[in-house]
Amino acid sequence: MADSNNHNSLSRFRIAPVFLFRWEESQQAHVLMYPEGIVKLNPTAGEILTRCNGTNTVGDIVLQLSVLFSEQPEFIEPRVHQFLEVCHGKGWIQPQS
């Protein structure tokens, strides 16, 4: 599946260097920290971004989440692509070359 940002199941992403991604115990959530603030992520977003390590392909992420959430990959795939498109548009992630 390709989208308007030209990523596909073989694409790899990593967190952009300006952001710090981590588990924040006080928030009981994954967060993205940056100089201007913090973004508290919902559990699914945290699971996706945890896997954006430059090694996993988008296809790998879809398969891992399908196991984690006991859902069919066909159900998860468009949602992962959509979320990654939003993250890329916000500058949170960047393609790994």
Side-chain angles (χ1 to χ4, degrees), residues 31-81:
V31 297
L32 270 173
M33 300 173 75
Y34 57 107
E36 296 84 20
I38 186 170
V39 177
K40 181 179 177 181
L41 301 166
N42 70 36
T44 304
E47 291 295 341
I48 294 170
L49 289 184
T50 294
R51 291 162 171 78
C52 290
N53 56 15
T55 302
N56 287 314
T57 65
V58 174
D60 294 335
I61 294 170
V62 167
L63 290 176
Q64 291 168 19
L65 294 177
S66 71
V67 170
L68 180 67
F69 294 117
S70 299
E71 290 285 353
Q72 292 297 314
E74 297 79 17
F75 176 78
I76 291 177
E77 183 177 25
R79 290 157 177 80
V80 169
H81 280 276

Side-chain angles (χ1 to χ4, degrees), residues 3 5 7-8 11 13 48-49 52 57-59 61-62 77-90 93:
D3 70 18
N5 280 335
H7 74 263
N8 60 46
S11 299
F13 290 96
I48 294 170
L49 289 184
C52 290
T57 65
V58 174
I61 294 170
V62 167
E77 183 177 25
R79 290 157 177 80
V80 169
H81 280 276
Q82 182 181 26
F83 179 72
L84 292 175
E85 184 176 336
V86 169
C87 291
H88 187 258
K90 291 180 178 279
I93 59 173

